[in-house]
Amino acid sequence: MSRLSRVRSEARAAYTSFVRRRTAVFFTFFFPVLLIAIFAGLISTGGGGTGLFSQPPGYYVPAYLAVVVLFTPLSRVSSEVARHREGARFEKLATTPLEKWEWLFAQTLVNVALIAAASVLLLLALLAAGASFALSPWFVVFVPAVSVVFCGVGAVLGSLADSQDGAIAASNGVAIPLLFLSDTFLSPAALPDWFAPVMNLSPLTYFARGVRAATYSGATPGWPGSVTAEFAVLLALAVAAFAVGAALIPWTE
């Protein structure tokens, strides 16, 4: 069996596993839209200031996308790795030609495809809610890149957790702080001055600043200073996260 065939077969299995889980489908496709429906009235005020939902709706486009690109790969990949560990599935896969980076690559492909579809649905919902933003081609590269980052991080969490429940708890423990402390819903001006450099440690920050600068009039990227540079950092983090995640998968525990 060729490498392409192995990856395609594993990706098909991953997709089938996803669609069979109604809860996963709901939180991937409909939960972010539900958030928009809940908060549309709040963010539409755009009263100014630095607090939560104080900016115009278009400002929060990357924040809502962050819900999808952050929670979906972290929870799905971490739980999938932990589930394979508990069921000794990696040991069985290790007896086949499939390599562990191929397994993670297949999982990542499925997640990127699902996240891309969910992002399109979310953008349409934002437009329907009255958000004003540009449909920039940067969406096409930023969304997959940040998805790969958190697929890699999810693989790390699933490899280190002691159970599937532990993996899900760890992914939520990572995702929730990042969602609000990565220049998404809260701007740096709303946080202490000393915390601004800490934001640069989050991959989600480069996603949020890059997408906002590319799609929202008046927004400017932070460090390192341009949309292209933000994407370059994110791409480097994606390669590193995938490599570390693949290396830590316990193929033969």
Side-chain angles (χ1 to χ4, degrees):
M1 179 182 287
S2 67
R3 175 163 293 161
L4 179 60
S5 297
R6 295 196 297 268
V7 171
R8 184 169 55 241
S9 297
E10 190 60 39
R12 187 182 300 112
Y15 173 76
T16 301
S17 175
F18 168 78
V19 296
R20 287 176 177 173
R21 300 177 184 178
R22 296 179 181 178
T23 302
V25 174
F26 172 80
F27 277 95
T28 299
F29 289 98
F30 301 109
F31 180 67
V33 176
L34 180 61
L35 284 181
I36 294 173
I38 293 173
F39 294 123
L42 295 175
I43 66 174
S44 64
T45 57
T50 60
L52 193 65
F53 302 125
S54 59
Q55 302 294 331
Y59 180 90
Y60 297 103
V61 169
Y64 283 113
L65 286 173
V67 177
V68 178
V69 303
L70 179 61
F71 282 91
T72 299
L74 274 182
S75 61
R76 290 200 69 246
V77 176
S78 64
S79 62
E80 198 69 14
V81 171
R83 188 165 66 92
H84 275 60
R85 289 177 61 195
E86 291 178 352
R89 297 184 183 184
F90 285 136
E91 286 85 346
K92 297 176 183 177
L93 290 174
T95 65
T96 71
L98 185 72
E99 298 181 35
K100 57 183 179 180
W101 75 264
E102 294 175 342
W103 181 88
L104 182 57
F105 184 66
Q107 297 291 326
T108 301
L109 282 178
V110 173
N111 275 276
V112 169
L114 293 172
I115 290 166
S119 296
V120 170
L121 179 63
L122 191 147
L123 291 174
L124 292 175
L126 282 167
L127 288 172
S132 178
F133 60 92
L135 293 174
S136 170
W138 282 107
F139 281 125
V140 178
V141 292
F142 267 100
V143 169
V146 74
S147 301
V148 173
V149 170
F150 290 114
C151 283
V153 174
V156 171
L157 295 178
S159 299
L160 299 179
D162 57 1
S163 65
Q164 189 172 354
D165 289 340
I168 295 174
S171 67
N172 288 333
V174 171
I176 292 174
L178 287 183
L179 180 62
F180 292 98
L181 300 177
S182 300
D183 203 355
T184 49
F185 289 105
L186 289 173
S187 67
L191 299 168
D193 292 339
W194 62 265
F195 192 79
V198 179
M199 277 187 170
N200 293 329
L201 300 177
S202 168
L204 196 61
T205 296
Y206 302 100
F207 169 79
R209 290 176 178 171
V211 170
R212 184 175 292 122
T215 62
Y216 179 65
S217 177
T220 55
W223 185 89
S226 71
V227 177
T228 302
E230 301 279 358
F231 176 70
V233 173
L234 193 62
L235 185 62
L237 291 173
V239 173
F242 182 88
V244 174
L248 290 181
I249 290 176
W251 208 239
T252 54
E253 279 189 318

